[in-house]
Amino acid sequence: PAYAAPAPSQPGTNAPELAKLGSHAVGVRTLTFVDKTALDIVAFDPKTGQVPQHERPITVDVWYPATPAPGAHAETYSGRMDAEPPAPPTPFQIPGIAFRDAPFESGRYPLVIVSHGYGNATVGMSWLTENLASKGYVVAAIRHEDSYLNPASFPNAVVRRPLDISFVARELPKALGKEANLDASRTALIGY
């Protein structure tokens, strides 16, 4: 049934005018960065006032204007959402319009960083990320690895997320280099 449904980024006939897709084909790729000096907020020592540092991997899904190969097939996203215990996480699939690892379309594009909701997944917001990329934006959605069902992890998520967003904003232009021709001087943040 998931394959029969249109991609969520394709608006219906009754959608507002700005919901329409843009003129660009969309690519998607997944990058992993390592913040080598990430602060471990949960391990803060009140006696010494010290916050230990450790290496923190950060995975980012990136949507962008692309030039897909002829005959390429659009991505079908897979993810998992926390379920009510004791049930295991619930897997899901969402059809997309993006082409995995397609070459970047030439041009200079602003950056949009997406921070998904607590306990959500980046691909759960593909309706927005694909739409923005089709309109000429490079969209970087950070995979926040929050444990939604663990209340003790919420304070860490509140402190960690802004640090992760800043880290990705600094590292993504370097990682993509001239291939993306990213205009990081025009950066926006969207999220929950």
Side-chain angles (χ1 to χ4, degrees):
Y3 296 108
S9 57
Q10 294 174 316
T13 56
N14 60 346
E17 185 177 344
L18 292 177
K20 293 177 185 171
L21 291 172
S23 61
H24 301 277
V26 178
V28 62
R29 63 179 60 172
T30 302
L31 305 171
T32 300
F33 300 100
V34 178
D35 184 349
K36 295 185 179 191
T37 59
L39 300 175
D40 188 353
I41 307 302
V42 175
F44 171 73
D45 184 348
K47 292 179 184 176
T48 64
Q50 298 294 312
V51 179
Q53 295 179 335
H54 63 94
E55 288 190 356
R56 176 178 169 78
I58 300 172
T59 303
V60 180
D61 293 310
V62 181
W63 287 266
Y64 51 91
T67 308
H73 295 283
E75 182 80 356
T76 296
Y77 304 107
S78 297
R80 295 181 173 276
M81 298 284 287
D82 288 334
E84 189 69 32
T90 304
F92 65 88
Q93 289 188 324
I94 300 173
I97 63 167
F99 299 92
R100 176 67 56 186
D101 298 322
F104 276 82
E105 182 181 283
S106 62
R108 189 154 172 80
Y109 304 108
L111 172 63
V112 176
I113 297 176
V114 175
S115 181
H116 63 72
Y118 191 59
N120 203 340
T122 58
V123 296
M125 293 186 70
S126 63
W127 59 271
L128 176 62
T129 57
E130 288 184 339
N131 189 293
L132 289 171
S134 80
K135 292 174 178 165
Y137 296 91
V138 174
V139 184
I142 301 167
R143 291 188 189 178
H144 298 294
E145 302 294 338
D146 307 322
S147 178
Y148 179 67
L149 297 173
N150 178 359
S153 72
F154 183 74
N156 191 47
V158 169
V159 174
R160 262 295 4 125
R161 283 183 176 217
L163 298 173
D164 290 348
I165 290 165
S166 296
F167 178 77
V168 169
R170 286 190 313 271
E171 295 300 314
L172 186 65
K174 291 187 266 184
L176 295 178
K178 293 183 180 181
E179 177 186 17
N181 203 10
L182 182 65
D183 182 0
S185 69
R186 296 187 295 158
T187 299
L189 173 64
I190 297 174
Y192 296 95

